[in-house]
Amino acid sequence: MGMCGRYTIRRIDMLIRFGAMDEPSFETFDEKRIVPRYNIAPSQPIPVARLNKSGERVIRMVSWGLVPSWTKGTPKSRPINARAETIATSGMFRQAYERRRCLIPADGFYEWQGKTPPKQPMFIHQPDDGLFAFAGLWERWKPDDAADPVDTCTIITTTPNAVMKPIHDRMPVILHERDYDHWLSRDVPGDAVMDLLRPFDGELEAYPVSTLVNKPANDSAALIERID
């Protein structure tokens, strides 16, 4: 499993918090239809905040696992994570890093502690369970000339902070709200946002949870209950 490979969205104030309008196709996280998610997994549709052609921030559902726009035929891989250290030079990510950056709303994520199985799943979140945003990239890909375009995304990872070091050698990049506009702007080149791709310096806490989270089909509040 990649890092970050599972996360949660339990809040219904996402559109207000991210200052985003919802596009016509956006339904899953409509306030009247909200279904809290406790085990979001790769390949599933996830909400991202990005800029539309008019420069407005919008929420759109995209598939988690990036496919570059230039991909021909069946993708050989759909990376769910991109390493901050190589993002500006990687052929897989550099175009999206320059022009198609996005915010991926979340309020917690999982990581597995231990070098050998059985690994212990840990739940990591802010002490107040607040909503935050992973730094992400998105792409638009057409499987063939006759097909509808498919939007995909990936989560950027970096080295761990003090909370994550005992758990894993990587962590997702969590952006501060003050940096959202700077990160999203298409007028800001990649080298001007590289300093944002650092270990999170805000408050996080981690605790062990059940191995129920190991199966993507499990998706309930029981997954984030602390165990002894």
Side-chain angles (χ1 to χ4, degrees):
M1 183 180 303
M3 195 298 146
C4 165
R6 301 282 177 80
Y7 71 97
T8 64
I9 303 178
R10 297 162 286 156
R11 304 289 296 274
I12 64 173
D13 58 354
M14 184 173 58
L15 292 179
I16 297 173
R17 173 69 182 275
F18 284 85
M21 302 163 32
D22 56 313
E23 294 185 358
S25 62
F26 180 83
E27 293 183 348
T28 304
F29 285 84
D30 177 74
E31 190 165 327
K32 296 179 181 178
R33 301 168 181 256
I34 186 66
V35 177
R37 296 296 311 280
Y38 295 91
N39 197 9
I40 297 173
S43 80
Q44 295 178 355
I46 65 173
V48 305
R50 66 188 187 192
L51 299 184
N52 63 15
K53 292 181 179 179
S54 300
E56 300 167 311
R57 198 185 296 179
V58 296
I59 294 281
R60 182 66 185 264
M61 301 299 290
V62 308
S63 178
W64 185 12
L66 194 88
V67 181
S69 58
W70 42 260
T71 300
K72 304 297 183 183
T74 302
K76 294 182 179 179
S77 65
R78 296 175 182 242
I80 63 170
N81 295 153
R83 294 177 67 92
E85 296 88 339
T86 57
I87 201 169
T89 57
S90 167
M92 177 73 71
F93 304 117
R94 63 190 178 197
Q95 290 185 17
Y97 179 56
E98 287 294 331
R99 299 285 298 167
R100 290 179 290 278
R101 299 185 293 264
C102 64
L103 304 171
I104 300 178
D107 55 23
F109 62 97
Y110 301 94
E111 188 48 60
W112 280 254
Q113 186 176 42
K115 294 184 178 180
T116 58
K119 296 184 178 182
Q120 173 60 56
M122 305 289 289
F123 182 61
I124 302 96
H125 66 136
Q126 294 184 322
D128 64 357
D129 262 339
L131 193 68
F132 53 81
F134 299 132
L137 307 175
W138 71 275
E139 283 273 22
R140 178 163 291 168
W141 167 65
K142 291 192 69 172
D144 56 64
D145 291 340
D148 292 330
V150 177
D151 287 355
T152 65
C153 70
T154 190
I155 294 172
I156 302 172
T157 68
T158 187
T159 52
N161 63 10
V163 173
M164 289 299 300
K165 278 182 180 179
I167 302 172
H168 202 278
D169 61 1
R170 305 292 295 175
M171 73 175 297
V173 173
I174 298 174
L175 298 173
H176 287 286
E177 191 166 358
R178 63 177 181 266
D179 296 319
Y180 289 177
D181 287 340
H182 191 58
W183 173 253
L184 290 175
S185 176
R186 290 189 290 265
D187 296 326
V188 176
D191 59 5
V193 292
M194 183 59 70
D195 64 320
L196 301 181
L197 305 181
R198 59 182 184 269
F200 187 57
D201 58 3
E203 287 191 81
L204 291 175
E205 67 175 16
Y207 60 82
V209 294
S210 165
T211 53
L212 287 171
V213 71
N214 292 358
K215 295 183 178 181
N218 295 330
D219 193 351
S220 73
L223 274 62
I224 63 169
E225 292 179 1
R226 185 189 300 263
I227 64 171
D228 294 332

